Amino acid sequence: MAGMGDGYVGTAQDAVRIRRLEKQREAERRKIQELKNKTASSQGQPGLLQFGSSTSEILETAFKKETVGLVTREQYVEKRVNIKNKFEEEEKEKLLKLQQEEEELQLQKLKKRKIKADPRLSFADDFESFDEEEEEENNEDSEGHGRRKFGKLGKDPTVETSFLPDSEREAEEQAERERLRKQWLLEQAQIKNEPLQITYSYWDGTGHRRVTQVRKGDTIGEFLRAVQQQLSPEFREVRTTSVENLLYVKEDLIIPHQHSFYELIVNKARGKSGPLFHFDVHEDVRTIADATKEKDESHAGKVVERHWYEKNKHIFPASRWEIYDPTKKWERYTIHGD
């Protein structure tokens, strides 16, 4: 490339940038030369700053020219004060002019560095500056030809960007999750407060069927406390025992006191002989048996005193009873055997 030597000079983009910098340096050299010429042309004027002279020497020179011949004392003082004021004013004007020129030069540099590309692309500034340099080069080298146009780079709306990190989108998703979580908790609290009517049978060898009402969120222990209050007037052994010594047996499973009816309903828990999430009593009334369909029957849960169970657990139906385990799955219902 002409003027660049015989060695490696970089890419075409580097060459364009080098030429642009050389033009800027040449423009600055011309401005400096103009300032020097202005300073040299003003050296012969009285009262102006001379290169290489001190302020006191300049004042003395201008004062001597103004006081040639005989002058009175008042004229002497007045002329000296006038010359000094004039000199100070000229100095202020020069400093102000130099400051203005310096500010204009800085503004021009800032304008040239201003990024005109789309800020959404981190690499757009390089391409934008390259486009501008190419356009300047084309305008200089190919006069008479049409001006070359370069398209602006931007986002492609068809590209999938959902996998990219987006703090604003993540904040919106987090707020939506929090709103849904609070809404779900509110709905579950309303469900837990709904009344639940339970049909049970106090079992002491024979059945004594009763009906009581609790909330769906109540635990088995709270249900047995209500049962004890209901049965105490009729059964002395219930009145004298504690809630911890009462057992609730549903579909041949002894359900621990800490479990709630809400858990059994939500998890669609299954027992050995029927569902654990139905607390009424109903039988399968289908007239035609279908082996492919499971029977829809619900039996009354039994409330048993622990002492009676320990004495009779080897006798049917207590021999079928076992502790409820949420992790154990019952594939089919049975009403006899193990």
Side-chain angles (χ1 to χ4, degrees):
M1 186 177 293
M4 300 302 295
D6 297 332
Y8 174 70
V9 295
T11 63
Q13 185 176 359
D14 294 333
V16 172
R17 186 176 288 108
I18 290 169
R19 285 199 294 273
R20 179 170 57 82
L21 293 174
E22 288 178 349
K23 291 177 183 178
Q24 290 178 359
R25 293 192 189 100
E26 184 62 28
E28 291 176 358
R29 288 194 199 99
R30 286 199 297 268
K31 288 184 179 180
I32 293 171
Q33 187 63 37
E34 290 174 0
L35 290 175
K36 287 182 178 180
N37 294 337
K38 289 180 182 179
T39 304
S41 63
S42 62
Q43 285 181 355
Q45 298 178 9
L48 296 179
L49 179 61
Q50 305 295 322
F51 180 76
S53 301
S54 64
T55 304
S56 59
E57 291 175 352
I58 295 170
L59 285 173
E60 287 297 328
T61 302
F63 180 67
K64 287 177 181 179
K65 291 181 180 180
E66 293 291 333
T67 56
V68 176
L70 296 174
V71 292
T72 63
R73 182 176 182 278
E74 289 79 9
Q75 290 175 341
Y76 180 88
V77 173
E78 182 182 358
K79 287 183 178 182
R80 189 169 187 86
V81 170
N82 291 338
I83 290 172
K84 186 175 182 180
N85 292 338
K86 183 179 179 182
F87 176 77
E88 290 177 353
E89 290 177 359
E90 290 176 352
E91 286 291 316
K92 289 180 181 179
E93 290 178 359
K94 281 189 177 183
L95 288 175
L96 183 60
K97 187 176 181 180
L98 289 173
Q99 289 178 356
Q100 290 177 350
E101 291 177 353
E102 182 66 22
E103 290 175 358
E104 290 177 358
L105 185 61
Q106 293 295 332
L107 286 174
Q108 290 177 1
K109 290 182 179 180
L110 287 176
K111 287 180 180 179
K112 289 180 180 180
R113 294 176 184 175
K114 187 176 180 182
I115 297 175
K116 299 179 181 179
D118 189 348
R120 295 173 296 178
L121 295 176
S122 59
F123 51 84
D125 51 347
D126 295 334
F127 284 97
E128 182 65 25
S129 61
F130 181 76
D131 289 344
E132 291 176 358
E133 293 161 2
E134 286 290 334
E135 287 181 3
E136 291 176 3
E137 184 182 5
N138 291 333
N139 290 337
E140 294 173 359
D141 299 339
S142 57
E143 293 182 358
H145 296 281
R147 186 174 181 180
R148 189 175 177 184
K149 300 289 184 179
F150 287 91
K152 299 285 186 178
L153 291 175
K155 276 188 176 181
D156 185 353
T158 62
V159 174
E160 177 63 32
T161 59
S162 59
F163 62 91
L164 295 175
D166 187 340
S167 58
E168 184 177 350
R169 184 181 67 235
E170 290 174 358
E172 291 176 357
E173 292 176 355
Q174 181 63 29
E176 181 65 14
R177 283 195 292 269
E178 184 65 19
R179 186 189 68 80
L180 294 174
R181 186 184 70 85
K182 291 181 179 179
Q183 180 181 347
W184 183 83
L185 291 176
L186 180 61
E187 291 174 355
Q188 300 310 305
Q190 292 174 350
I191 293 174
K192 290 180 180 180
N193 281 324
E194 291 177 358
L196 178 65
Q197 186 170 293
I198 299 178
T199 301
Y200 70 93
S201 177
Y202 173 62
W203 189 263
D204 56 358
T206 59
H208 308 277
R209 185 167 292 185
R210 298 288 187 276
V211 177
T212 188
Q213 183 171 295
V214 295
R215 295 178 304 168
K216 289 182 179 180
D218 289 345
T219 62
I220 301 301
E222 292 170 334
F223 159 70
L224 291 174
R225 184 173 289 107
V227 168
Q228 185 186 34
Q229 294 175 358
Q230 188 178 28
L231 298 178
S232 292
E234 300 181 44
F235 301 95
R236 180 177 175 274
E237 64 274 15
V238 176
R239 185 168 61 249
T240 56
T241 192
S242 63
V243 175
E244 287 74 18
N245 287 325
L246 293 177
L247 305 178
Y248 180 57
V249 184
K250 175 69 173 167
E251 308 300 345
D252 294 327
L253 294 179
I254 302 172
I255 304 178
H257 290 197
Q258 71 270 16
H259 291 287
S260 67
F261 295 103
Y262 171 80
E263 295 175 23
L264 301 175
I265 295 170
V266 169
N267 296 327
K268 298 290 184 182
R270 293 164 60 90
K272 295 175 69 175
S273 57
L276 297 179
F277 51 87
H278 289 316
F279 300 97
D280 58 347
V281 177
H282 62 269
E283 297 180 357
D284 194 336
V285 296
R286 290 177 294 184
T287 57
I288 300 176
D290 187 350
T292 62
K293 293 184 180 180
E294 191 172 65
K295 287 188 175 182
D296 182 22
E297 293 184 351
S298 178
H299 311 97
K302 296 180 177 63
V303 175
V304 182
E305 202 270 326
R306 187 184 297 274
H307 179 68
W308 183 93
Y309 170 69
E310 295 294 339
K311 280 177 56 179
N312 299 277
K313 62 182 178 182
H314 61 287
I315 304 172
F316 184 85
S319 60
R320 277 177 51 86
W321 300 349
E322 58 182 271
I323 302 296
Y324 168 66
D325 182 4
T327 62
K328 188 173 182 179
K329 304 298 180 184
W330 302 94
E331 300 299 335
R332 59 188 183 88
Y333 298 144
T334 60
I335 59 173
H336 56 80
D338 295 332

